[in-house]
Amino acid sequence: YFDSDAFILPDKSGQRLKRLETMWQLEALGKWHPYFFLNEPKAAKAYPFPNYPCVHGSHVLLEPSSDVSARYRGILRDPPNPAFTSCGGKDQKVLSFLFPHHAALPKDLWRSFKYEGEECDVVLGEVPAVDEIHLYSNQYTSNQPFWGGDCTSCILNGKTCKYPNMFTEACHKKIIELWWERIMQLPSSTANMCMHHLGANLNNVDEACYNK
């Protein structure tokens, strides 16, 4: 499970893939493992819903099973009250309800970086200091969204955008380039659908950009 505003950074060394493979080899939940730590349950917002530990993180690793599939189908037919837990967000509530006995992994195994529109130099360099970047799109809305907004075509073409924006650092440009590189690797129909729902215009260079 991946949030739509999260992506894995390029992996030239292959070390990131090895760490992903390590996750699949972990013991089943319930057995002690040095990588595991448990999240404490949070109080429910409304009676009679019980306490649930909240699923945190921009991605969740799930092993496919018929039981998991049945639980997903069941919750689609009979959704729980959205107030059943204090976990934030719509997807976090559902995932926390479906998987109340989950464990989390420390960041030294999988280095996830939360980006909210400010410091982001960790993505620069030949070998970025993080494995995955979580963009928290709903929290970064000043002038233009994290993926470039009306300035997307300018940034991808190395031009200065005429519209107000906060893309002032080299790492901002890097994040936008990485984001669109990932989208353009999708099948064309999927990429076009993403662009449509984002409201992205990649062909407004003359309108949106200064010539320099």
Side-chain angles (χ1 to χ4, degrees):
Y1 165 83
F2 277 83
D3 274 3
S4 60
D5 57 355
F7 61 87
I8 298 174
L9 272 71
D11 184 22
K12 294 182 178 179
S13 67
Q15 293 301 311
R16 194 166 297 124
L17 178 59
K18 289 181 180 179
R19 285 199 296 279
L20 273 177
E21 292 173 343
T22 299
M23 293 184 197
W24 285 111
Q25 297 168 9
L26 296 178
E27 294 287 342
L29 188 58
K31 297 182 180 179
W32 181 86
H33 194 284
Y35 288 141
F36 280 171
F37 65 92
L38 297 175
N39 291 318
E40 293 297 323
K42 290 189 176 182
K45 285 186 175 181
Y47 179 83
F49 302 110
N51 291 352
Y52 282 97
C54 295
V55 172
H56 292 289
S58 54
H59 77 271
V60 182
L61 192 68
L62 303 175
E63 184 171 358
S65 73
S66 56
D67 175 62
V68 171
S69 177
R71 291 166 67 193
Y72 268 122
R73 293 174 185 276
I75 203 172
L76 290 174
R77 289 192 300 268
D78 184 23
N81 188 306
F84 73 88
T85 176
S86 60
C87 302
K90 295 179 180 179
D91 55 350
Q92 193 178 109
K93 292 180 187 296
V94 173
L95 288 169
S96 301
F97 181 80
L98 285 172
F99 304 101
H101 305 294
H102 66 276
L105 297 170
K107 288 187 176 181
D108 57 353
L109 179 64
W110 187 256
R111 301 166 300 171
S112 183
F113 172 62
K114 175 182 175 182
Y115 172 63
E116 296 180 275
E118 298 174 357
E119 183 63 39
C120 58
D121 285 349
V122 293
V123 304
L124 298 176
E126 283 294 313
V127 183
V130 290
D131 298 311
E132 175 184 326
I133 183 167
H134 192 188
L135 293 158
Y136 280 70
S137 60
N138 63 319
Q139 298 183 31
Y140 182 44
T141 56
S142 300
N143 298 317
Q144 302 294 335
F146 71 85
W147 49 264
D150 296 324
C151 295
T152 301
S153 61
C154 304
I155 293 168
L156 296 182
N157 286 278
K159 297 180 179 291
T160 301
C161 184
K162 297 178 181 179
Y163 300 114
N165 67 85
M166 297 179 65
F167 307 127
T168 58
E169 306 296 331
C171 57
H172 297 154
K173 181 176 183 291
K174 182 69 173 180
I175 287 172
I176 292 169
E177 289 175 341
L178 287 170
W179 170 263
W180 284 102
E181 179 183 308
R182 289 291 183 274
I183 288 184
M184 293 310 178
Q185 289 174 351
L186 296 169
S188 58
S189 58
T190 305
N192 289 333
M193 181 178 66
C194 290
M195 286 189 284
H196 172 74
H197 287 291
L198 287 171
N201 185 351
L202 303 187
N203 301 304
N204 65 341
V205 173
D206 294 337
E207 172 191 340
C209 315
Y210 293 109
N211 290 329
K212 294 182 179 180

